[in-house]
Amino acid sequence: MKVSIDWLGDHIDLSDYNDDEISDLLTFSGIEVEGIIKYPDKVIVAKITEIEKHPDADKLQVCQVADGGKTLRQIVCGATNFSIGDKVPLALPGASVMDNFVIKEAKLRGVESRGMLCSQAELGGLDGDGLWILPSEYEIGTSLNKIYPTVFDLEITPNRPDCLSHVGVARELAAVCKKSLKNHNNQENTSNPLIKTNEENIKIEDNQLCSLYTLRRIENVKIEPSPQWLQSKLESIGLRPINNVVDITNYVMMEMGQPLHAFDSEKITGDIKVRKANKEETFKALDGNEYKLQPEDLVISDENEALALAGIMGGANSGVTDKTKEVFIESAHFNQSAIRKSSKKLGLSSDSSYRFERGVDPAQVVKASEMAAQLIKDLAGGKIFDEVITCGTYDFPPRSIQMHLEKCKKILGFNLEKDKMTEILGNLGIIALSHEDGITDWSIPSFRNDLTRPEDLYEEVARILGIEKIPSIQRGWFSKPSDADKLHDFVGHFSDKLSSIGFHETRSLKLISESQISDCICSSNKKAVGLKNPLSDDLTHLRPGLIASLLRIAERNIHQGTETLRLYETGTVFTRGKEIEERQNIGLLISGPQNRSWLNKKPQAADFFDLSGVLERLIGESILLSPSESKGENTVISCEIILKDTIIGKAAQLSPARSRRMDANFPIYTAELDLAIIMEKISTMDRFTELPKFPSIRRDISMELPLDITNNKIISTLNNINSDILKSFELFDYFHDESGEKLNNEKKSLAYSLTYRSDERTLKSEEVDKAHNEVLKELKKNLDVNFR
Amino acid sequence: MLEQLQIISKEATSEISKANSLDELNNLRVSYLGKKGRLTLEASKMKDLSKEERPMAGKNLNETRASITRNLDEKINALQLLEDNKQDQSLDTTLPSDPIISNGRHPVSQMLDESIKALRRMGFSLASGPEIETEWHCFDALNTPKDHPARNETDTFYFEDGRLLRTHTSTVQIRTMGKCNPPVRIIAPGAAYRRDEIDATHLSQFNQLEGLYVDRDVSLADLKGTLEYLLQSIFGMNTPIRFRPHFFPFTEPSFEIDILLEVEGKKSKWIEIAGCGMVDPDVFNEICKARGDDYYSPDKVSGFAFGLGLERLAMIKWGISDIRLLIENDVRFLKQFS
């Protein structure tokens, strides 16, 4: 909401504060200042006296303007929405417009220009279409910021509808800077004894939806443009002046927060009814659109048709026009949620609905009407009828809240004196009615519909007291570590390991497109969870695995020319089984050479064994990569990752076809692991192993064997050999010749080095030979191997 | 023999001084001191000497051996030093290194880690909850009005079964109070989702860090102390921090926290960084109703809650102006944080 500092000055003396100080006062009372609109210096009112076409540019015009100086000033201008005699804002050389663009004298296509004619937007206002045509009364040469004083753009939180007016904001400022309002009249706004009422001509169908409806009749009005002071007041806060009566209703709304509406009484036939819309009823609103209404929409109607959508907008046919002679001023109190629902459903909102749906002070309905009527009499002539036509209740019982002083102190953590509290709340119009046993009964002003519980009063005290007065306490007790702590630390541990071997951590959106699901090549369950209301086609499902995100990132980086990809991401994956399941996974992607440098010009591209190396480094013990039964889409190699007989994840090489679609020059390897399962299965070292006291003896085995005998089979066989002195073994050579020249291409050659050692004595060569022969025999017996 | 030793010593000294390479010196060592070296041969003559002559000859023999050995060693050392210096001089130390590659964590993770470290020092432990949530956990239990705009399908992602993607991590407050008795002192990092178009300042999914502390007599002063400590741990102990009154349905009183950001050459600016407040009694009442007990009755406990946007923290800390950089994961961007 826009608030003019000048206008606030009608209600509170702010002369001893500058704009920044006022901004701070508002900020610390809880009203966020989103912007300060201040027209720049050196921008003045100028009058166009001549317009010519620019000799060298079709889109430019050369103008002569009167700026209050002795001679005319020549300005080149691109706008076309003006004519001779118009008054427009002129930024003089040295003026700073549009976020620090400083105007200078210049030649535009060869023609001298000594300043700039501005649109409202160029000066920080709203309207950007063409030059800002100023009212003709403005004196040439006047500084624009004298005419339009500083305006604050405020964000009023939804709990504070009472601040949606100048009086409301002034009230708040008065409380924080301990000043009194000019014409302070909080206490007398509950009723107005002067008003005579006539309830015969209005009927309210449902007083839950409208508790009070009033009309004030004024005859012999003369509709014309508002006087200058009113126009510039409205313009300064971004409202367009229309005519005196409409401007007055808007002015009163911005002044007091009570939305009003003016009807042309000649266009009303018979009695007024506040009723629910009929089925299929349509309504043509002031904005020119026709709306289809439903029975939950509330309308104001006469005998024939709906005249207004209650609290939202007037009708096109019953509004005030130049020809209007007699008006009805409507001031009413409508139900918050009814207005909100209608406004939302119809997609129609207005300054009026904005206030009603947040809550309007019911006690000021009549007062606002009175103020508008007096202004109309003053500015548009006319005679006010004494009688106010009303229906509903004026009876708003006073509310109070009981608050325990000690509880308030405890919540604030501050030892607040009772007198201080009385002062703080008193400045907000909250008055102590009685005090007993440490409990005070506080009366709540009618405009503060947000205050209903003691906690709401604690907030008022904290807000006005200022949080800087509250001490900072640093205390607490020990917390038990949780499963979430363990997972966090575990992920941190993995991250450290991966960082140290050159991996980047990535973080991506968990929403992916349907077509990306098949990119989750390391997920066994690809039943992704789809959104009911996605925002766009590329974010429709929650990812069932992490590889889709990593591939997308890889593709992006490949297109940026990156060769070395070492990426990992941890995070939630979502799958649909019987139930929707959320699990925490880690995904890895490696591709391309590790590290190209002047010392190593042709590093090898990452291969499958780099991937398994990373996995082993991560898990810290030996894992088995066992080929999957089905290869799956988009993969050329696919394996289960097995740790101690449990599948902990999947590893895969992306299919060349899919890689090509990413423009990848190197094969891409990926793996995805389930963190919860690993955490459960991974071993922690709880005792160290003594260093060997006796020397070991090595024996090598070199063998030829068919391609289908895997390393794993040999290892299993070796592991099953019952020998006290065979301590470890390790592959040291692998050979396979696809051409078959050096070795039959249906065979491969493997060489292992076996380490023998005893913990009790130094082994003799003969003992080792004997044990080694046993090993050879076992291998031969179990597997189709030939030793070389 | 003594004469002979003198000759050997002299010749050895001369030959050693003439030698120019380690190979030559090694050959000399063999030719004088080796098994068949001249000195060794001379020593074998000891047995032919008389008992009286022997001590004198032995002494001389040892001295000669020691002197040749010393000469050899000195010369070798000298040559090696010469060689060493040559090596040092030929190295262009300004050539680029052979880098040892070590990369690092995503800036958002680094922010998260720093926050968690600070909060753990204060005794908070971690908690978590599902990202696919019920409307009750996300809105009802957090005192959000039935017709609040955040519940609209235009603002929040829903599933066919009526569940939704949580719009804030405050759901973990509800989850935690649902299953743990007070006191609780938890932080919950995690993803939250809003149905926003992605642009320079918005993501449809972002990361938050939620905090909750419920106990007897937790006050606004505790909230202030905790958050000041946290933010100063992240941004520096001298960073100015301010609390502005604000409004959230689930806290009362509520505040937004700003830090004063100073960028060289620019006017320093207050930047909003977190929301916080004292847990609204209606949230406690809802928890009591759901639990069927009064452990969390607002008459017995009070508490504070806060929420930080981690992307925002990272953007402020490192001056990142486009939030999309944080989800694009361009290696050239990530490298800067390793």
Side-chain angles (χ1 to χ4, degrees), chain A residues 751-763:
Chain A
Y752 293 84
S753 162
L754 280 63
T755 301
Y756 295 92
R757 194 183 61 240
S758 159
D759 295 332
E760 284 111 35
R761 63 204 148 83
T762 303
L763 289 177

Side-chain angles (χ1 to χ4, degrees), chain A residues 133-144:
Chain A
I133 309 297
L134 300 167
S136 54
E137 298 90 60
Y138 291 169
E139 205 166 312
I140 294 168
T142 319
S143 206
L144 211 65

Side-chain angles (χ1 to χ4, degrees), chain A residues 506-565:
Chain A
T506 67
R507 292 183 82 108
S508 36
L509 294 187
K510 297 175 193 182
L511 291 167
I512 61 174
S513 69
E514 193 161 11
S515 64
Q516 277 182 284
I517 295 171
S518 63
D519 277 348
C520 296
I521 54 173
C522 292
S523 308
S524 37
N525 181 355
K526 291 198 184 66
K527 275 188 206 136
V529 186
L531 291 169
K532 179 183 166 200
N533 58 336
L535 189 57
S536 60
D537 287 346
D538 55 347
L539 302 173
T540 55
H541 287 74
L542 285 159
R543 59 182 182 196
L546 297 164
I547 307 302
S549 313
L550 286 170
L551 288 178
R552 167 143 312 180
I553 293 164
E555 183 170 10
R556 187 194 158 77
N557 280 292
I558 288 167
H559 288 154
Q560 295 297 335
T562 306
E563 286 185 334
T564 307
L565 291 170

Side-chain angles (χ1 to χ4, degrees), chain A residues 111-275:
Chain A
V111 177
E112 188 177 52
S113 181
R114 295 170 54 215
M116 174 177 159
L117 304 180
C118 302
S119 71
Q120 213 171 358
E122 282 161 345
L123 297 172
L126 299 174
D127 197 343
D129 295 339
L131 294 189
W132 183 7
I133 309 297
L134 300 167
S136 54
E137 298 90 60
Y138 291 169
E139 205 166 312
I140 294 168
T142 319
S143 206
L144 211 65
N145 54 22
K146 287 245 164 58
I147 304 170
Y148 299 109
T150 310
V151 167
F152 282 0
D153 197 1
L154 304 179
E155 191 207 323
I156 308 289
T157 52
N159 60 328
R160 294 302 303 276
D162 61 300
C163 289
L164 292 170
S165 68
H166 282 80
V167 170
V169 174
R171 217 159 32 204
E172 202 62 16
L173 280 169
V176 286
C177 58
K178 303 186 188 76
K179 288 194 171 203
S180 50
L181 288 180
K182 299 174 181 172
N183 318 315
H184 189 67
N185 50 11
N186 265 341
Q187 300 310 307
E188 50 170 301
N189 63 7
T190 40
S191 69
N192 189 334
L194 296 173
I195 287 168
K196 299 174 199 164
T197 62
N198 171 348
E199 299 193 3
E200 282 160 26
N201 304 98
I202 312 179
K203 205 176 153 218
I204 300 176
E205 220 178 54
D206 184 345
N207 56 16
Q208 288 294 311
L209 301 181
C210 173
S211 58
L212 175 61
Y213 191 86
T214 76
L215 286 174
R216 195 105 204 237
R217 189 164 154 197
I218 305 161
E219 60 176 8
N220 283 330
V221 293
K222 195 177 169 216
I223 306 299
E224 56 185 9
S226 298
Q228 199 46 61
W229 67 265
L230 180 52
Q231 287 199 25
S232 44
K233 248 186 177 154
L234 293 178
E235 271 185 325
S236 72
I237 57 166
L239 291 181
R240 224 177 269 279
I242 296 167
N243 61 46
N244 47 9
V245 169
V246 172
D247 290 353
I248 286 166
T249 60
N250 282 333
Y251 172 70
V252 173
M253 170 168 68
M254 293 304 173
E255 165 88 355
M256 298 178 61
Q258 171 68 43
L260 301 175
H261 184 65
F263 294 107
D264 182 337
S265 65
E266 284 174 11
K267 294 174 188 163
I268 299 175
T269 317
D271 291 351
I272 295 282
K273 232 183 177 178
V274 183
R275 62 163 171 87

Side-chain angles (χ1 to χ4, degrees), chain A residues 377-434:
Chain A
K377 188 182 137 199
D378 294 346
L379 304 181
K383 179 174 170 283
I384 308 171
F385 278 65
D386 286 345
E387 199 173 67
V388 182
I389 311 164
T390 69
C391 185
T393 176
Y394 294 103
D395 196 17
F396 306 108
R399 288 189 304 119
S400 72
I401 297 175
Q402 298 201 329
M403 182 177 84
H404 214 292
L405 182 64
E406 286 309 313
K407 186 83 203 267
C408 178
K409 285 185 191 171
K410 264 190 185 173
I411 290 286
L412 298 184
F414 181 66
N415 191 16
L416 189 68
E417 297 299 323
K418 185 165 159 273
D419 289 351
K420 183 71 185 165
M421 187 172 305
T422 309
E423 181 198 321
I424 288 172
L425 292 174
N427 286 335
L428 288 163
I430 301 165
I431 310 298
L433 296 172
S434 63

Side-chain angles (χ1 to χ4, degrees), chain A residues 406-667:
Chain A
E406 286 309 313
K407 186 83 203 267
C408 178
K409 285 185 191 171
K410 264 190 185 173
I411 290 286
L412 298 184
F414 181 66
N415 191 16
L416 189 68
E417 297 299 323
K418 185 165 159 273
D419 289 351
K420 183 71 185 165
M421 187 172 305
T422 309
E423 181 198 321
I424 288 172
L425 292 174
N427 286 335
L428 288 163
I430 301 165
I431 310 298
L433 296 172
S434 63
H435 184 78
E436 212 173 324
D437 299 335
I439 297 172
T440 311
D441 196 23
W442 300 92
S443 82
I444 307 301
S446 61
F447 52 84
R448 289 304 302 272
N449 64 4
D450 61 315
L451 302 180
T452 58
R453 308 165 300 175
E455 290 78 10
D456 301 326
L457 293 183
Y458 309 160
E459 175 169 68
E460 293 306 287
V461 174
R463 203 163 62 82
I464 303 299
L465 180 71
I467 188 142
E468 70 279 1
K469 300 262 169 50
I470 309 262
S472 294
I473 300 182
Q474 298 183 346
R475 58 158 189 171
W477 33 269
F478 298 179
S479 287
K480 265 191 221 145
S482 63
D483 287 348
D485 277 299
K486 281 179 211 151
L487 179 68
H488 175 80
D489 293 340
F490 189 68
V491 169
H493 186 53
F494 267 23
S495 290
D496 289 346
K497 284 186 177 179
L498 288 166
S499 295
S500 71
I501 53 173
F503 274 74
H504 283 295
E505 185 197 21
T506 67
R507 292 183 82 108
S508 36
L509 294 187
K510 297 175 193 182
L511 291 167
I512 61 174
S513 69
E514 193 161 11
S515 64
Q516 277 182 284
I517 295 171
S518 63
D519 277 348
C520 296
I521 54 173
C522 292
S523 308
S524 37
N525 181 355
K526 291 198 184 66
K527 275 188 206 136
V529 186
L531 291 169
K532 179 183 166 200
N533 58 336
L535 189 57
S536 60
D537 287 346
D538 55 347
L539 302 173
T540 55
H541 287 74
L542 285 159
R543 59 182 182 196
L546 297 164
I547 307 302
S549 313
L550 286 170
L551 288 178
R552 167 143 312 180
I553 293 164
E555 183 170 10
R556 187 194 158 77
N557 280 292
I558 288 167
H559 288 154
Q560 295 297 335
T562 306
E563 286 185 334
T564 307
L565 291 170
R566 301 286 184 276
L567 306 172
Y568 77 98
E569 178 157 339
T570 59
T572 320
V573 299
F574 306 78
T575 48
R576 192 184 281 287
K578 247 184 201 169
E579 281 289 318
I580 294 176
E581 204 178 2
E582 296 183 22
R583 299 197 67 85
Q584 299 298 318
N585 281 8
I586 181 166
L588 302 152
L589 180 147
I590 70 174
S591 176
Q594 173 59 281
N595 182 23
R596 200 184 288 279
S597 77
W598 62 285
L599 287 165
N600 186 4
K601 293 189 192 86
K602 281 186 183 162
Q604 279 212 320
D607 60 22
F608 185 83
F609 301 105
D610 287 306
L611 177 68
S612 52
V614 169
L615 290 171
E616 236 162 24
R617 164 90 179 96
L618 209 51
I619 305 296
E621 53 195 298
S622 78
I623 47 166
L624 175 65
L625 296 176
S626 157
S628 304
E629 290 185 359
S630 63
K631 225 166 50 178
E633 208 182 337
N634 286 338
T635 63
V636 59
I637 298 171
S638 177
C639 316
E640 317 291 351
I641 306 169
I642 297 167
L643 169 66
K644 292 177 196 148
D645 301 328
T646 304
I647 297 177
I648 57 169
K650 263 186 137 159
Q653 180 185 349
L654 193 66
S655 70
R658 180 72 188 86
S659 291
R660 275 195 296 275
R661 289 215 303 280
M662 295 166 55
D663 302 318
N665 290 326
F666 301 102

Side-chain angles (χ1 to χ4, degrees), chain B residues 54 184 233 269 326 337:
Chain B
R54 272 186 201 169
V184 293
S233 298
K269 227 170 115 188
L326 294 170
F337 300 91

Side-chain angles (χ1 to χ4, degrees), chain B residues 43-56:
Chain B
S44 66
K45 293 176 189 161
M46 283 277 284
K47 59 180 190 305
D48 305 335
L49 293 179
S50 68
K51 213 176 173 183
E52 292 73 29
E53 283 171 316
R54 272 186 201 169
M56 186 62 174

